[in-house]
Amino acid sequence: MKNPRSRLQLALMAMALCVGMLDSLGADPDTSTHDLAKELKNPVSSLTLLPFQFNVEVGSGEGHPVGTTLNIEPVVPINLNEDWRIITRVVAPVVYQESSIPRLDDTFGLSDMELSLFLAPVKKSEDSLVWGVGPIIEFPTTTDPLLGPEKWGIGPTAVLVKQMGCWTFGLLVNHLWSVGGAGLRDVNATFIDPWMSYTWPSGFALNLESEITYDWEDSQATVPIRAGVSQLVTLGSQPVQFNLDGLYFFEHAPEGPEWGMSFTVTFVF
């Protein structure tokens, strides 16, 4: 598995399997635009999703190098019975990173993939508190050492979501420890993602969140604020949500990003 081509083939096979699972499921034609747009703010809902998130981040190093990442994030819920479900979420980052060092080539490839599994109760009422808990697993699929830690990792993850009328409030947390792999640096990182949104009946929403990471190996925090808008539309019979966000990093590593933009297209099944 040290061959980058073998790792890329493994990652593509995993993504193809996820897409196949997505394609086997259909959308509920009776769901209203408002209800569907709100459910998209709930990461442990009954929706099957295929988001493509394109991020552009401008670094703080010499020449302000630009990094671009395409996160492919299929989400598939699996109903266990009338009361419980498991939600699977894969994050496969495809990265292009400009070099901040003269005469050093830019880097392109796949970073380490993550799989989150949430055991969550089926939501019984409109305003009930929703939660999910489970493991998060990191796979050493990095095709270039500059793009990821090349480590196997595992840890816990949990999510809380409260929806009241047009409002959604949520908190996602996880922690990853490395347990092996070819990379030279260990992984010991905490991720905290609080968010809030307000969704109008038309499917338009205002969104605010902060995807905070703390690297315990380097004692370094990364604290961005992400603010933007989203709109749910129907293309033919296919519901699709578009997100546009701006990012500003209040805290970052010396060579880390200072600001960025994000555009996401989410297909709803």
Side-chain angles (χ1 to χ4, degrees):
M1 291 301 296
K2 293 183 179 181
N3 189 315
R5 180 174 297 179
S6 298
R7 290 177 174 171
L8 182 58
Q9 289 173 342
L10 175 63
L12 292 175
M13 289 174 61
M15 287 189 292
L17 177 61
C18 292
V19 171
M21 295 173 67
L22 291 166
D23 193 46
S24 66
L25 299 171
D28 180 2
D30 296 325
T31 302
S32 74
T33 298
H34 190 213
D35 291 342
L36 187 56
K38 280 183 60 181
E39 280 299 281
L40 281 162
K41 309 303 179 185
N42 175 11
V44 288
S45 73
S46 62
L47 299 177
T48 301
L49 308 173
L50 182 56
F52 294 88
Q53 183 188 74
F54 184 74
N55 299 284
V56 178
E57 297 175 349
V58 179
S60 57
E62 181 180 351
H64 299 283
V66 175
T68 59
T69 303
L70 172 63
N71 287 323
I72 306 171
E73 306 179 2
V75 178
V76 179
I78 302 170
N79 290 326
L80 301 178
N81 51 44
E82 294 182 355
D83 299 316
W84 296 93
R85 65 169 59 107
I86 292 177
I87 294 88
T88 67
R89 177 174 179 261
V90 175
V91 179
V94 181
V95 182
Y96 174 80
Q97 181 62 56
E98 287 187 354
S99 173
S100 60
I101 302 175
R103 294 182 296 278
L104 185 65
D105 291 339
D106 299 341
T107 309
F108 173 77
L110 187 68
S111 186
D112 286 355
M113 292 174 57
E114 293 179 355
L115 169 65
S116 298
L117 300 171
F118 295 97
L119 175 65
V122 174
K123 186 169 152 182
K124 297 298 185 181
S125 66
E126 178 69 19
D127 296 332
S128 60
L129 180 68
V130 181
W131 57 270
V133 295
I136 180 171
I137 305 167
E138 185 174 57
F139 300 89
T141 53
T142 299
T143 55
D144 189 294
L146 296 176
L147 299 178
E150 294 186 288
K151 287 288 189 178
W152 290 95
I154 193 168
T157 184
V159 63
L160 285 172
V161 181
K162 178 66 175 179
Q163 294 184 308
M164 301 176 294
C166 295
W167 288 99
T168 299
F169 302 91
L171 176 65
L172 171 68
V173 296
N174 66 54
H175 188 91
L176 267 172
W177 292 278
S178 57
V179 293
L184 299 178
R185 296 183 69 257
D186 289 333
V187 175
N188 182 13
T190 300
F191 178 75
I192 304 173
D193 179 12
W195 76 90
M196 61 183 294
S197 66
Y198 187 92
T199 306
W200 279 265
S202 64
F204 179 81
L206 293 176
N207 311 300
L208 180 67
E209 69 176 313
S210 180
E211 300 168 324
I212 303 164
T213 302
Y214 189 80
D215 185 340
W216 295 90
E217 292 292 316
D218 294 336
S219 300
Q220 176 65 58
T222 301
V223 184
I225 293 294
R226 178 190 293 264
V229 297
S230 60
Q231 177 67 60
L232 176 66
V233 301
T234 302
L235 303 178
S237 60
Q238 176 64 59
V240 182
Q241 181 177 256
F242 297 95
N243 285 70
L244 180 63
D245 301 295
L247 296 94
Y248 180 78
F249 291 80
F250 287 93
E251 181 74 21
H252 56 80
E255 298 297 321
E258 291 184 322
W259 62 273
M261 297 290 293
S262 176
F263 179 69
T264 306
V265 179
T266 302
F267 295 91
V268 184
F269 299 89

